[in-house]
Amino acid sequence: TARLMGRLFGVRDIGLGALVVMHLDDPSALRKAFWLNLAMDLGDAAMIAVPLVRRQGIDRAAGLSLGFALGGATAWVLALFGFAR
């Protein structure tokens, strides 16, 4: 299951990254792509937080994954308010 999830997230992230690259010359569309990426990372963070809150015994893995998701979300916020004006 872990391998499948890793592949699924990898494919999704490649698609989201391609969306950003496709819209580099269109600031309005690029901003929408940034918002979509931010929403995906925040959704990931919310789903990762569930096993932490429920204390399901995967605290270390979930905590590391939550850090990555929040790090990605932070990067998109910086992109939205720093680069895509």
Side-chain angles (χ1 to χ4, degrees), residues 18-78:
L19 184 66
V20 169
V21 170
M22 285 182 351
H23 295 297
L24 286 174
D25 58 345
D26 182 356
S28 175
L30 184 60
R31 223 171 142 69
K32 290 176 185 174
F34 286 173
W35 278 110
L36 181 60
N37 275 282
L38 174 60
M40 288 293 167
D41 283 340
L42 290 176
D44 289 345
M47 293 301 106
I48 292 165
V50 171
L52 284 173
V53 171
R54 292 185 177 172
R55 308 299 275 169
Q56 294 178 333
I58 58 168
D59 290 355
R60 183 174 180 197
L64 290 171
S65 297
L66 183 60
F68 282 116
L70 292 176
T74 300
W76 293 116
V77 168
L78 292 174

